[in-house]
């Protein structure tokens, strides 16, 4: 009986140790040491299954390969007139292209096309058939099915701050579309207003290629993914570790101008740093690594934006590389930081935000406190019981030890 009880106690102790991180951690943030891979992709394009003729899905894959992309998401229009037969044919064409081209990950998406346009990723035709013509109901359904939703080209659509603010479950919006940088993302624009209002939206970019345009034309979205699978790419988008670089034509193909590394206190883009501080102001350390890898240009300006204002500008003009740690004092909490930079040819790269919040605010969640209390009490109780059983077992073993001869 003693041995069985001992085994139960030890297994319970090992179980508690295994869930320690889940029960006691305050953040699942991605850090510089987090395992993952940067992938280059185009998030928005069309084919013969809507208004992208004469381009087939396979044509888009060949363009992506030529332009150095790792993945593409086909996003043909879905409207009230789209029937199931078309959806299935479209879906199967994407699956076939993905299977036939192991070097390019091809994902099936769609552009929900009514008063506004929503880019949906990570779903199947069965999910799409159930989408409402109401934008909020459609976004909710996309999330409930495990997908992710972005607002397409807000400038072209004539959308305002209020149009995006009222939406729930939106992951973000297109900051670049069809070679155009959306006015929303300029310092002090609608994006900053949304971020300051608590909407942690991220941006993506897409070619929105139709007839004569190519996948990967004008720009590239970089996504930090746990792996290079379809699920890994969707997970990377959900995490928000994403940035966008404009591209330029190089020897008949399109190549992104910039590579960007941006962290705050070692935490990657899209994450929230919960600082263990009761202070209203803190000092943070920004790490920026920016390089121009294509074209004959130099870094012109790097702007660091926080709470809708440019808090620091770095002016270049003579170098294609910049790498530095930058201390920013008196940072208001909650806050966020993002970076936008351009070269001497007027091409841009835009990071996504890194958010800063208070550790104390998160600890006020009663569920978190209860879970931690249960974990600590159980751990202590099992540890004491385990020690007691071990001591008793050793005493019994000593008691019945045969005498030496």
């Amino acid at each position: 009986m003693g041995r069985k009880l001992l085994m139960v106690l030890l297994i319970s102790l090992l179980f508690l140790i295994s869930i320690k991180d889940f029960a006691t951690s305050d953040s699942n943030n991605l850090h510089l040491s987090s395992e993952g891979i940067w992938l280059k992709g185009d998030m928005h394009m069309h084919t013969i299954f809507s208004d992208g003729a004469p381009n087939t899905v396979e044509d888009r894959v060949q363009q992506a390969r030529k332009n150095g992309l790792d993945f593409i998401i086909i996003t043909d229009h879905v409207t009230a007139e789209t029937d199931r037969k078309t959806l299935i044919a479209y879906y199967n064409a994407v699956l076939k292209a993905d299977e036939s081209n192991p070097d390019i990950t091809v994902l099936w998406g769609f552009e929900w096309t009514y008063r506004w346009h929503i880019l949906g990723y990570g779903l199947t035709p069965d999910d799409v058939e159930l989408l409402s013509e109401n934008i909020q109901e459609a976004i909710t359904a996309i999330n409930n099915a495990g997908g992710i939703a972005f607002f397409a080209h807000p400038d072209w659509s004539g959308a305002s701050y209020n149009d995006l603010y009222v939406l729930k479950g939106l992951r973000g919006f297109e900051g670049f579309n069809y070679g155009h940088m959306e006015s929303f993302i300029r310092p002090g624009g609608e994006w900053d207003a949304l971020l300051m209002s608590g909407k942690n939206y991220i941006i993506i970019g897409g070619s929105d290629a139709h007839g004569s345009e190519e996948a990967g034309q004008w720009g590239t979205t970089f996504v930090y993914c746990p792996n290079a699978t379809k699920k890994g790419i969707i997970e990377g988008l959900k995490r928000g570790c994403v940035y966008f670089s404009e591209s330029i034509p190089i020897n008949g193909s399109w190549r992104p101008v910039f590579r960007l590394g941006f962290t705050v206190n070692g935490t990657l883009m899209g994450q929230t740093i919960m600082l263990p501080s009761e202070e209203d102001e803190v000092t943070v350390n920004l790490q920026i690594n920016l390089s121009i890898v294509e074209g004959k240009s130099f870094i012109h300006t790097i702007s660091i934006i926080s709470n809708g204002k440019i808090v620091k500008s770095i002016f270049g003009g003579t170098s294609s590389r910049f790498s530095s740690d930058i201390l920013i004092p008196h940072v208001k909490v909650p806050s966020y930081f993002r970076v936008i930079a351009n070269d001497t040819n007027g091409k841009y790269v835009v990071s996504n935000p890194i958010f800063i919040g208070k550790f104390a605010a998160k600890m006020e969640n009663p569920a978190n406190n209860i879970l931690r209390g249960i974990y600590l009490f159980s751990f202590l109780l099992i540890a004491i019981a385990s020690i007691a059983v071990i001591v008793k077992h050793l005493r019994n073993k000593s008691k019945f030890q045969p005498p030496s001869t």
Side-chain angles (χ1 to χ4, degrees):
M1 182 67 181
R3 289 184 179 180
K4 290 182 179 179
L5 179 60
L6 178 62
M7 288 299 297
V8 170
L9 290 172
L10 288 176
I11 291 172
S12 300
L13 186 61
L14 290 173
F15 172 74
L16 283 174
I17 292 173
S18 70
I19 66 168
K20 173 178 178 292
D21 289 339
F22 172 77
T24 61
S25 66
D26 291 300
S27 174
N28 291 318
N29 284 347
L30 296 175
H31 296 273
L32 287 172
S33 59
S34 301
E35 291 186 4
I37 180 173
W38 281 106
L39 298 177
K40 305 186 296 294
D42 188 343
M43 311 284 297
H44 187 173
M45 68 194 68
H46 302 277
T47 72
I48 56 173
F49 289 102
S50 60
D51 56 354
N55 295 278
T56 64
V57 174
E58 185 63 32
D59 290 334
R60 293 305 189 197
V61 176
Q62 298 306 320
Q63 295 161 10
R65 181 179 292 110
K66 184 186 74 168
N67 293 327
L69 300 182
D70 301 305
F71 74 92
I72 55 174
I73 307 182
I74 311 294
T75 53
D76 276 308
H77 293 280
V78 170
T79 70
E81 288 74 39
T82 305
D83 57 34
R84 180 171 178 78
K85 182 178 179 181
T86 301
L87 278 177
I88 295 297
Y90 166 33
Y91 185 74
N92 288 336
V94 172
L95 290 182
K96 181 180 178 181
D98 182 61
E99 293 171 357
S100 303
N101 298 275
D103 59 322
I104 306 288
T105 303
V106 188
L107 291 87
W108 188 81
F110 58 92
E111 185 172 2
W112 180 91
T113 308
Y114 292 93
R115 166 65 181 90
W116 306 114
H117 293 195
I118 296 296
L119 297 171
Y121 308 129
L123 301 187
T124 68
D126 291 339
D127 301 317
V128 174
E129 279 194 308
L130 301 176
L131 295 184
S132 166
E133 295 183 21
N134 175 280
I135 185 171
Q136 183 57 71
E137 292 177 0
I139 293 171
T140 300
I142 290 170
N143 281 284
N144 288 343
I148 184 169
F150 289 86
F151 199 103
H153 41 62
D155 277 359
W156 181 88
S157 299
S160 67
Y161 163 89
N162 287 330
D163 292 323
L164 271 70
Y165 176 77
V166 298
L167 299 176
K168 298 178 180 179
L170 192 69
R171 189 63 185 96
F173 62 93
E174 279 189 306
F176 283 81
N177 173 273
Y178 205 77
H180 168 71
M181 185 169 77
E182 301 282 322
S183 62
F184 268 53
I185 72 174
R186 298 187 184 278
E190 289 90 342
W191 189 20
D192 285 311
L194 289 163
L195 293 172
M196 287 187 289
S197 72
K199 296 286 188 177
N200 290 3
Y201 290 158
I202 67 167
I203 66 160
I204 57 173
S207 64
D208 199 359
H210 284 76
S212 61
E213 301 86 30
E214 296 182 359
Q217 189 164 335
W218 296 306
T220 301
T221 297
F222 290 78
V223 185
Y224 192 69
C225 307
N227 53 62
T229 65
K230 295 178 183 180
K231 288 184 178 180
I233 293 168
I234 297 299
E235 179 62 27
L237 289 169
K238 289 180 177 179
R239 291 175 175 181
C241 189
V242 178
Y243 73 92
F244 181 88
S245 169
E246 287 193 272
S247 298
I248 57 175
I250 299 286
N251 298 325
S253 64
W254 290 85
R255 290 291 187 270
V257 175
F258 298 94
R259 295 293 188 279
L260 173 65
F262 171 50
T263 63
V264 175
N265 292 2
T267 297
L268 298 174
M269 289 173 277
Q271 312 302 293
T272 300
I273 303 171
M274 305 304 291
L275 294 175
S277 172
E278 296 295 336
E279 302 296 328
D280 292 329
E281 294 184 351
V282 296
T283 298
V284 297
N285 182 28
L286 278 66
Q287 303 88 32
I288 300 176
N289 293 285
L290 181 66
S291 60
I292 293 176
V293 296
E294 298 290 355
K296 298 178 180 179
S297 64
F298 300 112
I299 296 171
H300 183 269
T301 306
I302 303 172
S303 298
I304 300 172
I305 302 160
S306 180
N307 290 356
K309 297 180 180 179
I310 298 177
V311 295
K312 188 175 183 62
S313 294
I314 301 159
F315 300 98
T318 59
S319 176
S320 60
R321 295 182 181 275
F322 176 86
S323 181
S324 180
D325 283 22
I326 302 170
L327 288 177
I328 306 290
H330 310 301
V331 175
K332 298 290 185 181
V333 181
S335 184
Y336 67 87
F337 285 92
R338 67 183 186 92
V339 171
I340 182 169
N342 65 296
D343 70 356
T344 49
N345 289 333
K347 298 301 180 183
Y348 280 84
V349 60
V350 182
S351 82
N352 269 297
I354 299 170
F355 304 94
I356 300 173
K358 282 188 177 182
F359 181 86
K362 189 172 184 179
M363 289 294 291
E364 288 171 1
N365 185 336
N368 288 343
N369 288 335
I370 292 171
L371 179 61
R372 288 173 176 80
I374 292 173
Y375 165 78
L376 293 173
F377 177 78
S378 301
F379 186 90
L380 181 62
L381 188 64
I382 292 176
I384 293 173
S386 298
I387 293 172
V389 170
I390 292 172
V391 170
K392 182 178 179 180
H393 177 72
L394 292 175
R395 284 178 176 175
N396 289 338
K397 184 177 181 181
S398 175
K399 182 178 178 179
F400 294 104
Q401 185 75 22
S404 57
T405 59

